[in-house]
Amino acid sequence: MVTLNKIYTRTGDGGSTRLATGAPVSKASLRVEAYGGVDETNACLGVARQHTTGDAELDAMLERIQNDLFDLGADLATPEQHEKPAWEPPRIVESQVERLEQEIDRLNGALEPLNSFVLPAGSPAAAALHVARTVCRRAERAVVQLAETEGEIVGQPALKYLNRLSDLLFVAARWTNDQGRADVLWKPGATR
């Protein structure tokens, strides 16, 4: 378990930080950018949950996802190495991706069919979930960029997880808009 006794260490004052392995790295590194984006997504979900407390099923789902995102952050902050670490680092696994797919299917099954793109609007919960979705997509782009960098390893389940999560957040936003009935639809060219 993690113990945080002292919050500031001053070690980052020069623009560097340490990965979970203890290796020093620039705060501008792709790896720090990737797990920082995951952390930002998690914070957005915390804001969204201020508006989902009335939906016990969805709120519990989002709470579990917040825990998954800490696992994902730890996964990304602990790069795979040739030598085995002294502890078993958390890694995102396929069953977490599969659970997201099942939840997407369950929520989406109750939604009104779409005949246009959805504007990121509607209820406060929907708007907050759309913000979380777009931040998640940015985090996904950072993780893809990291994975495409020579010498960097990112587990395939980590990439899949972020991709499915953004889909789930889209469906969850629609769910909170009266199961899609209160979605705000794009009207192409309507403001010309």
Side-chain angles (χ1 to χ4, degrees):
M1 205 54 169
V2 175
T3 303
L4 299 173
N5 293 326
K6 187 168 180 165
I7 301 304
Y8 68 91
T9 63
R10 296 188 177 111
T11 57
D13 292 352
S16 66
T17 189
R18 292 192 181 275
L19 298 175
T21 60
V25 64
S26 168
K27 288 185 176 185
S29 78
L30 289 177
R31 187 164 291 279
V32 174
E33 181 67 26
Y35 68 71
V38 169
D39 188 35
E40 200 175 347
T41 301
N42 206 342
C44 287
L45 287 180
V47 172
R49 289 187 63 214
Q50 299 303 303
H51 304 287
T52 62
T53 56
D55 186 332
E57 178 186 8
L58 180 60
D59 195 58
M61 189 183 304
L62 295 176
E63 180 180 16
R64 184 195 42 74
I65 289 167
Q66 285 193 286
N67 279 284
D68 284 354
L69 288 174
F70 258 85
D71 288 349
L72 178 54
D75 184 336
L76 294 169
T78 314
E80 293 186 32
Q81 302 174 340
H82 296 297
E83 47 303 322
K84 226 115 148 103
W87 75 101
E88 188 62 38
R91 300 281 182 218
I92 293 294
V93 295
E94 285 293 332
S95 62
Q96 289 168 295
V97 176
E98 291 165 5
R99 184 173 47 224
L100 286 178
E101 290 173 350
Q102 292 164 4
E103 291 167 340
I104 291 167
D105 291 343
R106 187 168 68 250
L107 293 176
N108 198 48
L111 297 180
E112 292 289 314
L114 272 176
N115 56 17
S116 179
F117 288 105
V118 175
L119 296 180
S123 70
L129 288 164
H130 279 298
V131 170
R133 172 186 57 80
T134 62
V135 172
C136 181
R137 284 286 189 207
R138 183 173 26 155
E140 180 186 8
R141 291 189 301 271
V143 172
V144 167
Q145 187 176 11
L146 176 65
E148 290 176 348
T149 301
E150 189 173 332
E152 295 287 359
I153 300 170
V154 175
Q156 196 61 31
L159 286 168
K160 287 182 184 179
Y161 189 89
L162 283 171
N163 186 266
R164 295 311 179 284
L165 177 57
S166 60
D167 293 337
L168 181 138
L169 294 172
F170 175 77
V171 171
R174 294 197 63 223
W175 174 267
T176 64
N177 271 341
D178 193 22
Q179 296 184 330
R181 290 181 286 274
D183 281 336
V184 180
L185 301 179
W186 175 46
K187 298 174 186 126
T191 60
R192 291 183 188 160

